[in-house]
Amino acid sequence: MSSNLSPSNNANDSVFRTLDWLTVGLYLLLVVLGAISIYAASYDFDHASIFSFAEFSGKQFRWIGLALVIGLVILLSDYRIYETYAYPFYIFMLLLLAVTIFIAPDTKGSHSWLKFGPMSLQPAEFAKCATALCLAKLISSYGFKLTSPPSNFFKAVGIIIAPIILIILQKETGSALVFLALFFVLYREGMSGLILLAALAAVVIFVVAVKYTEPMGLGMAKGQFIVSVLTMLTATLMAGIHARSFEVMRNLFLGFGGLIGLAFGLNALGLHLPWFWIFVGVIILSAVYMTLNGLRNHLPKLYVCAIFAVGAIAFSFSVNVLFDHLQPHQQNRILVSFGIKADPRGAGYNVNQSMIAIGSGGIQGKGFLNGTQTKLKYVPEQHTDFIFCTIGEEKGFIGTTSVILLFLILILRIIHIAERQPATFSRVYAYCVASYFIFHLCINVGMVIGLCPVIGIPLPFFSYGGSSLWGFTILLFILLRLDSARKRIRH
C-alpha cells in the first residue's frame, strides 16, 4: 500500500505522549551496560574512574551524551522530513563514501575513517540510515510494486548494492556485508523466496567447495561431488513441487540414475570417463528436460529450477577462483573458521582467546573486573569487536544470555512497531532497522564464539566507538519519531 506522511487534525499531539518508552528504556539500558562492559574490558590496575576521559569507558559516556542529544533533536524534528529528503540524503552519503576512498588515511589497511582533529568518524555507519530511508522511499512510492515491472526490483537492489561497492573499495568488507541484511526487507515486501534460497545455496556451496578440496579419485574434488549430488536432489524436489507432478520427479530420478549407471558400466569396461564432465552433463540434461517440460505445461517456475541447477554447478567450480581473489588475511580467517587450517598464533588467535575467555566464565562468571583473560589483555580488540567475550568471562552464561535476550526483546519490539505502521514508508524503514540489528547481533556473537569468520562487525551499543553508537542511535530514534506520529499519518 502506498502512503504519504501527512498531518491530520491531531498534529498538535506531543511526541513524548505517543513515544514508545519501552524501546527508549531498552536503548538506555543497552548503552549503559555497553559502557560498563567497555570499562571492564579496558580496566587496568590503576583503578581509574569509569567516567575518566583517559579511559575508553569515559570516552564512551561522552559519545553516549552526544548520542542522547542527537536522539532528542530527532524526536523534536518534523517527522515528514525523513521521507521528503530521503533521496538527497542517500545521494549525499554515496558521494561522501566515494570521497572517503581518496581522502581517508590508511587505518589497518582500510580507507574508511575520516578524521576531524582528535575525532574519527566512519561514514559507512551513517550510510546504513541513508540506505534504509531511500529504500523505504522507493517502496512507498505511489503505485510501486516490487516485482512488477521487474525494473522495480532492480531499482531496489541498486539502492542496496551501491553503498556495498563503495565500502568494499574502502577495503571494509565487513561493513559492506551488513547492507545485505536489507534483502530480508525485500522479501517482506514481495521478493520471491527463491532468491533467498539461491543466496543460502551460494553460502552452502562456498563452504563445501572451500572445505572439501581433496580429490576423490573420480577426476573431481570431494566438494564438487557433494555439491553435484545436492544440486541434483534439490533441483529434482523443486521441479516436482512446482510442477505438482510425481512424474516429473520420477523421470528426473530415473534419468540421473540411468546416466550415472551408464557411466559406471563404461568405467567397468575400461573406458575411464572424467566424473566431473559426467555430473555436469547429467545436470545440464536435467535442466534441458525441466525447461522443455515447463514450456509444454506453461510452468515458468520450472525454468527457474533449471537455472538454479546450472547456476549452482557453475558457481561450485568458480569458488576457488573467487577465493583466490580474496586478501591473504581474509583467506586465513575463512580457513581457520572452517577448521581447515590451524593458526592459533595468527588468524585464529583472537577467536581462540575469545572462546577461552567465554568458556572460563562458566555459568555465573568470575565477577565484575575479575576476568583474567580481560585484565591480562589476551584478547585483542576486546573493547570493540570482541566485547562479548568480556561479558562471557565476567558474567558467564547468565550474563551473555541476558544480553542476547535484551537484544531479542528490542528486535521483537521493532518488528511490533513495524507491523503497526499505517504508512508503507514507516513500515519498510522499521524492517530495515530490525534487519540491521539482527545481522550485527548474529554475526558479532558468531564471530566471537568461532561460528563465523572475523570480519569486524561491532556489537550495537556495546562495542566502543562513536560512529557505531551514533549510527544505531540515529536509526532507532528516526524510527521512534515516525512511530510517534503514526496516528497523524494518512494512508
Side-chain angles (χ1 to χ4, degrees), residues 194 236-245 299 301-302 304-305:
L194 290 173
T236 300
L237 290 173
M238 288 172 61
I241 291 171
H242 291 309
R244 296 181 181 178
S245 171
L299 293 170
K301 287 189 176 180
L302 285 184
V304 177
C305 298

Side-chain angles (χ1 to χ4, degrees), residues 5 28 45 140 177 232 241-242 277 288 291 385 400 402 423 425 428 436 464 482:
L5 300 183
L28 293 174
F45 297 102
S140 65
L177 292 177
M232 287 189 287
I241 291 171
H242 291 309
W277 292 111
V288 171
T291 302
D385 297 341
T400 54
S402 299
F425 177 83
V428 174
Y436 284 139
Y464 172 78
L482 293 173

Side-chain angles (χ1 to χ4, degrees), residues 279-298:
F279 276 94
V280 170
V282 168
I283 291 173
I284 290 176
L285 287 174
S286 66
V288 171
Y289 170 78
M290 285 185 282
T291 302
L292 293 176
N293 201 291
L295 288 170
R296 183 172 62 251
N297 297 304
H298 304 288

Side-chain angles (χ1 to χ4, degrees), residues 93-381:
M93 287 309 307
L94 289 183
L95 292 174
L96 184 60
L97 289 173
V99 170
T100 302
I101 299 171
F102 302 101
I103 67 172
D106 189 306
T107 305
K108 296 182 179 179
S110 71
H111 297 266
S112 58
W113 293 84
L114 295 178
K115 291 188 176 295
F116 302 94
M119 182 175 66
S120 297
L121 291 176
Q122 188 177 23
E125 292 294 335
F126 305 101
K128 296 174 189 175
C129 179
T131 306
L133 289 172
C134 186
L135 189 62
K137 172 73 171 179
L138 174 70
I139 296 176
S140 65
S141 301
Y142 180 76
F144 183 90
K145 291 183 179 179
L146 186 63
T147 57
S148 180
S151 59
N152 284 348
F153 174 72
F154 290 108
K155 289 177 184 177
V157 172
I159 289 173
I160 298 172
I161 296 298
I164 291 178
I165 294 172
L166 292 173
I167 295 171
I168 288 176
L169 291 175
Q170 297 175 2
K171 298 184 179 179
E172 274 288 341
T173 307
S175 298
L177 292 177
V178 173
F179 291 82
L180 295 178
L182 297 179
F183 278 92
F184 290 106
V185 180
L186 299 186
Y187 176 70
R188 168 63 179 80
E189 296 301 319
M191 183 183 76
S192 173
L194 290 173
I195 294 177
L196 290 183
L197 175 63
L200 176 62
V203 173
V204 173
I205 290 170
F206 182 85
V207 173
V208 172
V210 171
K211 187 173 179 65
Y212 300 104
T213 56
E214 61 272 20
M216 289 187 61
L218 300 173
M220 63 191 308
K222 186 177 180 180
Q224 294 171 340
F225 173 78
I226 294 172
V227 170
S228 299
V229 173
L230 289 176
T231 299
M232 287 189 287
L233 292 174
T234 304
T236 300
L237 290 173
M238 288 172 61
I241 291 171
H242 291 309
R244 296 181 181 178
S245 171
F246 175 76
E247 182 184 356
V248 172
M249 295 179 63
R250 183 197 64 191
N251 291 343
L252 283 170
F253 275 123
L254 288 175
F256 290 148
L259 289 170
I260 294 174
L262 176 62
F264 269 113
L266 292 174
N267 274 273
L269 294 173
L271 298 174
H272 297 290
L273 303 177
W275 281 93
F276 164 76
W277 292 111
I278 293 171
F279 276 94
V280 170
V282 168
I283 291 173
I284 290 176
L285 287 174
S286 66
V288 171
Y289 170 78
M290 285 185 282
T291 302
L292 293 176
N293 201 291
L295 288 170
R296 183 172 62 251
N297 297 304
H298 304 288
L299 293 170
K301 287 189 176 180
L302 285 184
Y303 316 154
V304 177
C305 298
I307 293 171
F308 170 82
V310 175
I313 293 299
F315 181 68
S316 69
F317 292 106
S318 63
V319 165
N320 290 333
V321 176
L322 295 173
F323 187 76
D324 290 340
H325 279 79
L326 295 177
Q327 297 294 323
H329 70 278
Q330 294 172 329
Q331 294 180 3
N332 285 335
R333 288 175 179 178
I334 292 173
L335 294 174
V336 170
S337 179
F338 291 170
I340 302 171
K341 179 179 179 181
D343 190 12
R345 294 185 179 276
Y349 179 79
N350 286 26
V351 175
N352 286 338
Q353 295 301 323
S354 174
M355 290 192 292
I356 290 171
I358 293 175
S360 67
I363 299 296
Q364 296 181 330
K366 297 178 180 178
F368 184 57
L369 302 181
N370 291 325
T372 53
Q373 293 290 112
T374 301
K375 299 302 160 290
L376 298 176
K377 313 296 183 187
Y378 280 108
V379 185
E381 310 296 337

